[in-house]
Every structure is written in C-alpha cells, then in structure tokens.
Amino acid sequence: MIKTFFGAIFRSPLSLVGALLTTVSAVLFLTLFVAAELNPRLGGGYAGIVSFVILPGVFVLGLLLIPLGLARLRKKEREGGEARAPVIDLNVPRTRMVVSMVALLTLVNVVIVATATYKGVQTMESVEFCGGACHSVMSPEYTAYQRSPHSRVQCTRCHVGSGAEWFVRGKASGVDQLVSVALGTYPRPIPTPVEDMREAEETCEECHARGRVMRDRLSVIDRFEEDEGNTWKKTVLLNKVAKVHWHVGSQVRFRSDAKRLFVAELERPLPDGGVRRWKNEQSPDAGVSDEWRTMDCVDCHNRPAHAYQRPRDEVDRALASGAVDRTLPFIRREGLRVVQLPWPDHDAAKAGIRRELSDFYAKRYPDVAAARVDRAAEGLFELYRRNVFPSMNIGWGTYPDFRDHDGEGGCFRCHTSDLTSADGLKVSDRCELCHLTLAEEEESPEILELMSEE
C-alpha cells in the first residue's frame, strides 16, 4: 500500500509538485529555525519573514496539493466506473501500518505548522520586523524610535497591546498596510495621530502607573548664541511634574481638528458637580470634529517613541555634547543654516552640508583646519539624517511635539487667552503653572554653581 501511495503521487503531477514543495520548505524551515535559535539576530526582518511566514505558507500549500492531486487522479482512473469510497480495514496489517504512518506524518506536520505559527507571530511582533521589513516606509519612525526612551519596548506593546481581540485587529490592519506598501500607495508622510489606537490607559499605563509618586524635576536647557564665539547659555527650570500630570484622570475634555493642533472647545468638571466650558475665539484652519475627546497621556506626549527634534534643539545638543566642535567660529549659525537647506535626499545632504561649511570657512577663516570642518559636517549631517526624510516628505516640523512651547503649539493649544468661558474666565497661560524658572539664558547660572559645591 505504501508503494501504491507513493506510486500515485508520482502519477499525479499536482501531488508531485505538492510533495516537492512540502519537503523542500520543511527542510529549509527546520534549517533556518535551528539557525535562528542559535543566532537570534537571524529571526527578525527579512530573514524572519522568509523563515517563519513564507516557507510555512509554501509548506501548507504543498500539503493541500497532495490530497487534491490524488483525488483528481482517483477520479480520472475511475471515470466510467462506479464511484466508491475507499475502504479502510484496520484488521489488515498493511492498512494499520499505513494508517500509523499517516498519523505520524500528520503529527509531524502539526508540530511544524504550530512551530511556524508561533515563530511567525514572534517575528511579526519583533522590532526588526516593524522597523526593518518595510524600510522605505518605516525608516523615519524606526530611526526616531532607536534614540527614544522607549527603544527597548516592543512596538506592539504600544501599537497593539495585550489581548486576543487587539491582536486580531492589529494583524488585520497589517494586511491592509502590507498591500499599500507593496503597491506603493501609502501616504507620504504617514498622517498623525494614528487612528484606532488603544486608549493610553490600556497601553501607556501598563508601565506608567497613575498612582506612583511624582517628584519635581530639574531641567537644564543648553542654548548657544549665533555670535562668533557661539556663547553658551543655560536655562534652569524646576518642573512641577505632579501638577502637570493633574490633567490625566481629571476628565478634561476637548474638541479639536483632526490633527489636534487647534482646540476649539475645552471643558473640565467642577467640584460642585457642574462643568465649566471654554470656547476658542479664533477660527480653525481646518474642520473641527463634533466628538469630544477625554484628555490622556498622548495629548501631551504625542511622540513618546518617535519624536523628531527641532533644528535649533538638535544643533544646540550637538554643540553641548561635543558632537560638533563649538570652538569653530559661527558654527551655531552656519550649522543651523545648512541643516535647514532643502536637500533632495540624504546623499545630497551629506555632500551639500560638507560643501557649504567648507566654502564658508575657506573664505572667512582659511586658517581653520579642513579636518575640523569635515568632522563638524559629519556631526551636522547625522542630526539631519535622524530628523529629515525627503523620500517620505518629512522635514523639520512635519511632526510637532506637543511638549514644545513654540508659537501657539504644545501646551499653548489649551493654555491660551483665546479660550474663554461664558462668564469671561480665560485659561491661564502663566509659565509658573508648570515650572519655575531658576535661571534664564545665563552663561554661569548661580543655581548650578551652588548645586555643584560639595
């Protein structure tokens, strides 16, 4: 019977193709599985897709083709005769042996498919898969993620969370995204905020519990003047962390435009059980939603793992850390200028930043060594590369961070005198609500000197 079974497979081209697909994919899968276990780096990105998504799919396809081919062969051989169902008589030793072999092979197949499913899910939830497999699309987000405070947190912990329902919804959404990537129909840049994200209470607060003690924190902000000596100045703030986080859990609600940049109406509950509502006297640039949103973590921390920095902040940090030589004359001014030029791509930016700086110092300061200028150009390109992605139409300011205080953005979306209640009360915009300024734009703040004394 075994010879008959394998003979039938060889007589059916469809079954033969299925057997070959199953055998080859099984051998490759097991080989790559063992390799991934020995070297975990092989289990993510494109290697993971091939090993634990494509090969298992080919394996299952081959398994389906084998019985399909045998059924077609049986039908063809019995054409003109009476169709009869196969008789399985377990009293016959040869039949029992065949049934045992089929059961054993089925068990092996189940183990392979189950292992592939488990590893496939692991692969699709890995950071390498999210950031590397769709490189052209997610390269900006992946780059920002790698330098964020959440760089050790799996993407799915925030974008999917726990639970079977959200796992299924996440995978269903992923299919649509995969199709858009394959067809090149994805938007550039990716629009924000991300729709259908779970509430922060079910994601952020899995780690950042509301009930923990929050203490005030000291912040030192480095700034450099655009003079020849790049004068270094510092601002020292005492941030009232606990008071700022009053917003979470306070049931503050608001209506805004789709990007949550313009707050049209704001309301908060009062101790007596009533509600005070403020209305914005300005007109929005875009349509305002009719839905009220309860404020949570991401309304201020809107870029918790994918923050893009402002050019002046990046240049100042690079000067303060030494990534760019702050002793070069006018490097703050020139550095800020060259990183904001409209370069078409990263290669052009790398060459252009170096050329612009070299030309400036060759004309104005010919005694400055070219090697120093080249190192500064490398440092400036690095901060440009982390924030600007021309292929995705992402430039400086494309994704604002709501913790910033530039213009009317960030905190000032709500804390603005444009929001007025019916009884004439305005939302306060005093800086002292959230932090105390201990020193502002000083070269040698006294508070830092006092803190450094033993």
Side-chain angles (χ1 to χ4, degrees), residues 55-69:
L55 286 179
V58 174
F59 178 81
V60 172
L61 175 63
L63 289 178
L64 295 175
L65 290 178
I66 293 173
L68 180 61

Side-chain angles (χ1 to χ4, degrees), residues 97-171:
M97 183 175 64
V98 172
V99 171
S100 300
M101 177 176 289
V102 170
L104 179 61
L105 290 175
T106 301
L107 179 62
V108 171
N109 292 337
V110 168
V111 170
I112 291 177
V113 172
T115 303
T117 301
Y118 174 75
K119 293 295 292 185
V121 170
Q122 264 195 336
T123 297
M124 289 187 289
E125 291 194 342
S126 68
V127 172
E128 292 78 9
F129 178 84
C130 297
C134 300
H135 179 74
S136 61
V137 186
M138 297 309 298
S139 178
E141 303 301 305
Y142 189 41
T143 300
Y145 160 83
Q146 288 176 305
R147 61 192 296 240
S148 78
H150 291 81
S151 60
R152 291 191 174 186
V153 179
Q154 259 188 328
C155 306
T156 53
R157 289 289 300 276
C158 299
H159 286 271
V160 178
S162 59
E165 177 191 353
W166 281 92
F167 174 81
V168 173
R169 291 173 64 172
K171 298 312 168 191

Side-chain angles (χ1 to χ4, degrees), residues 302-356:
N302 65 315
R303 309 295 304 181
H306 306 285
Y308 298 88
Q309 308 300 323
R310 294 177 295 184
R312 72 173 190 184
D313 293 338
E314 284 284 51
V315 172
D316 285 335
R317 289 193 190 100
L319 292 173
S321 67
V324 174
D325 186 358
R326 57 180 173 269
T327 64
L328 287 171
F330 289 109
I331 188 59
R332 204 278 188 177
R333 185 191 70 188
E334 292 303 305
L336 192 58
R337 176 181 68 83
V338 297
V339 298
Q340 294 184 90
L341 291 174
W343 306 112
D345 53 48
H346 282 177
D347 290 338
K350 186 173 185 178
I353 289 172
R354 172 169 283 142
R355 182 178 63 253
E356 288 285 331

Side-chain angles (χ1 to χ4, degrees), residues 26 59 170 277 300:
F59 178 81
R277 181 174 294 181
C300 294

Side-chain angles (χ1 to χ4, degrees), residues 310 312-313 401 403-410 412:
R310 294 177 295 184
R312 72 173 190 184
D313 293 338
D401 190 330
R403 295 175 304 166
D404 285 344
H405 292 54
D406 269 359
E408 298 300 317
F412 296 127

